[in-house]
Amino acid sequence: MRKVSILLALCLFLACVFATAAFAEQAKFTALDANDQPVAGAVYERYYSATPKSFNPEGTTNYPFEIYLPNEARPDNYRIHTNYTKDTDACASCHATHTAVGESLLQWYSVYDTCMACHDGTVSSTYNVQEGQYPDGSPLPGGMFGTGNEAFLSNHNVTGAVTIAAAPGGSTKATKFDDNGNPLNWSVEFGCESCHSPHGQGGNARILNPNPNNVMEQVVKDAVYVAGEGYAVPTLYPDGEPTGDYYYFLTGYPYNEQFEIWVNGTKVDKPDYSNQNGYTVIKEQEGVSVKVYGVPSLKVKFDIANYLGLNGNQEQVTHVKGINVFCGACHTDYNTQIAELFEKEPFYSSKSGSADNQYAGSGHTLTGIFSEAYRHQVGIQWDENIPGLDFETGQGAGTTGISCLTCHVAHGTSQEYWYNSLSNLEGSAFEGWDFTLFKEITGSSALKRMPNMGTCEACHHKGKDNEGYWALTGQEEKLYNGFASISDELFNQGGAKYVGLTEGKCLECHEEHDSWQQTKHFDPTSWSQDGIDRFNAFKTANPGYVDDNVTCEACHLEGSRHVKVPSANNITNPANLSGAEVAEICGQCHNDTGDYTTSTMAQYGEYKQSPHYVYGVATCNDCHSSHGKNSEGEQLQTTFVSLCSSCHSETKEKMDYSMSYDHTFGAAGDETPAPIQYSGKTRTTVGKHSGIDVAYVEANGCTGCHDDEYEEILNTAHYTQSTQTDNTAGWTEWLGMLNRF
């Protein structure tokens, strides 16, 4: 009997444990106060929060308290974005069926947040696209997105801030719409998913989107299959001749409803087909009429060896074909791999001793659908291997060809990326260069693989061809090899003078910052007397300053040389400065002068006491915008909630408890406490820059008036997240996985 009792007790214990596990879901917190009343506008009893951005590849998962991967240590053995099995568990890495916080059942608030949960370096065993590195720290061939603080950074802006229409060489407005009038191209938000298919549809290398900008929707409407390798539809040139390739039809959601196969005039309910060869083969009886309706994939082929480099050997990526058409889906007019440029003209070749044919070339032909210009040709053969540039190998037997990715990287570039990818590259023209020499003299770095026009010189060799100039002109030889030209006096800010907004004509080039005129910086009539006094003190300290309001040169400093020769080297860009340097610029006006205890503009001293400054994690322009207002009318980079939750994801649902506005003490009335001591001074206000924590609340009598709110704060994610994410012990660790959906 005792054995039976013990057995029953054990069963009861296990039942309770599994019953508890049945309620395991993404991390959550209460939205009810001590009296069971909704707080912060809550409707439901509990909110779910995004999966914490933490990951430890020790081989044991701890979801929902860290990112889930079915194989933590070797993701190459369990692909998340492709190669799905019938019993795949990859979906759970990004989606939550019943507790999602983002659209499309995502565990994070946006597509960008979801991608960067892993690919910003948090998951160390996969690609770090933020820093542009493999797991071993070597540079990715696709470049880097960066954090926004890198020198000479340019990137594809995949945060959701722009639409596809921002792409140079494309349309500025939508040209296709669905049945409800929603745009299908150009006016659609641009993000990671614009270039990549998170589920690997189409089978493309690097999970590239098989239907970028919806360009493939109208390619095939009615095609007759021909017998060959099974039944496969050949792709055709514009003149109707086969290209030697076959279509790969998209058959999964959301394309499944458009994919139809008809045999002898009858629709096949469950057709037998295969895509495993990289194109669609219909397995039907030969000798019959077979037609297909559907959306084909825009196919992109790479050869990838040593995936992720996890076997100790460096990953090798070779572009084979398809990149020009892929990039041309958005940069339409820049894709000059078009028929009219491939006409041949005789050209005498010293190599062969005969008149060979060469391409007519884009230098002689105007091209473009949305804009007309002469443009560099892509798709042509190129037989020279140049370290630092990438070429396609699918241009013909034994040849390589020029593609968009020959000169540009896909994600972005910066001074840091150039140094990492070129200075140690054997045979590179930049081999051995010091970090400081990698500079973009003027304009954008434009996602280029080499600084300035280095990609042009790498192929065209003009420097070698004119090195006799000094001897033939009797002048002193100068080595313009990237040293002297950049150090020219016009290409630095030293000695520059203030010119003012009108003479400088800043907005003629930087018209995207015209929204600056909506800010308080522009309008002195909106300033308090304290603000006027501070601005006058700034002008006294900078006697050459021309304007009567806070204009470009207040933050970007003297601009006379930049106006004469626009360059990133002869103007101060706060985006390229350290956090402390940015704060000093803002602190010219927002300092501790005047009546610091009552001023609403004395944020500099307050900010220097905060964890943001002390630990160097955020500075003024990480949160504030000098160039315009957000949708809420504030000079912030985005909405207040989105701004804080971009770093503190756990705060998104509880922003009412953040110090979102300055809080006044010692005001008229009996309900407010007397002025308090903070940051070494007697203060009547405590602002949002000061980094108040629970210890401060307890020490300064806040709970005397806010005892109810204080109890609620103790239940918020702000206060409890650290204990939630530390839940790593025993049964909970793996039983929680049973119901991660």
Side-chain angles (χ1 to χ4, degrees), residues 23 25 66 142 177 246 255 303 378 385 530 547 551 665 732:
F23 290 96
E25 14 186 34
E66 71 169 10
F177 301 86
Y246 297 96
Y255 302 101
D303 284 337
V378 294
N385 180 36
D530 180 39
D547 296 313
T551 61
F665 296 84
T732 309

Side-chain angles (χ1 to χ4, degrees), residues 600-640:
T600 60
M601 294 186 61
Q603 294 93 343
Y604 181 52
E606 191 175 278
Y607 162 70
K608 290 184 71 173
Q609 303 295 322
S610 73
H612 282 162
Y613 181 89
V614 173
Y615 298 107
V617 295
T619 191
C620 310
N621 58 356
D622 289 323
C623 300
H624 295 278
S625 171
S626 299
H627 299 128
K629 296 181 178 181
N630 63 14
S631 59
E632 298 172 338
E634 300 289 341
Q635 275 187 244
L636 298 174
Q637 296 285 3
T638 182
T639 63
F640 187 81

Side-chain angles (χ1 to χ4, degrees), residues 262-396:
W262 292 67
V263 177
N264 291 336
T266 302
K267 179 182 176 182
V268 180
D269 291 334
K270 296 182 179 180
D272 189 6
Y273 66 92
S274 171
N275 288 325
Q276 65 182 18
N277 292 326
Y279 55 84
T280 302
V281 174
I282 309 300
K283 300 179 180 179
E284 302 289 349
Q285 183 177 357
E286 295 187 13
V288 295
S289 172
V290 180
K291 293 185 178 182
V292 67
Y293 299 86
V295 179
S297 168
L298 194 163
K299 292 196 292 186
V300 182
K301 179 174 172 54
F302 295 176
D303 284 337
I304 301 176
N306 305 319
Y307 176 72
L308 274 176
L310 296 180
N311 59 2
N313 297 316
Q314 180 64 51
E315 180 181 273
Q316 300 294 323
V317 180
T318 303
H319 302 142
V320 180
K321 60 182 178 180
I323 278 296
N324 296 327
V325 181
F326 181 85
C327 297
C330 300
H331 303 281
T332 307
D333 290 347
Y334 290 5
N335 177 24
T336 52
Q337 187 174 324
I338 51 181
E340 57 261 38
L341 296 182
F342 281 77
E343 299 174 358
K344 299 293 186 86
E345 58 184 23
F347 175 76
Y348 183 80
S349 171
S350 59
K351 288 183 178 179
S352 63
S354 62
D356 294 340
N357 289 331
Q358 70 167 9
Y359 297 109
S362 52
H364 308 288
T365 306
L366 286 169
T367 64
I369 296 175
F370 303 109
S371 60
E372 191 175 62
Y374 297 101
R375 296 180 170 94
H376 194 291
Q377 194 170 355
V378 294
I380 57 176
Q381 295 178 6
W382 188 261
D383 299 327
E384 181 183 5
N385 180 36
I386 300 174
L389 302 183
D390 280 336
F391 298 90
E392 282 192 343
T393 62
Q395 302 293 335

Side-chain angles (χ1 to χ4, degrees), residues 665 673-679 686 692-705 710 714:
F665 296 84
I676 58 175
Q677 291 291 319
Y678 185 71
S679 300
V686 175
I692 293 176
D693 57 18
V694 170
Y696 174 86
V697 171
E698 294 172 340
N700 287 280
C702 302
T703 56
C705 294
Y710 174 65
L714 297 182

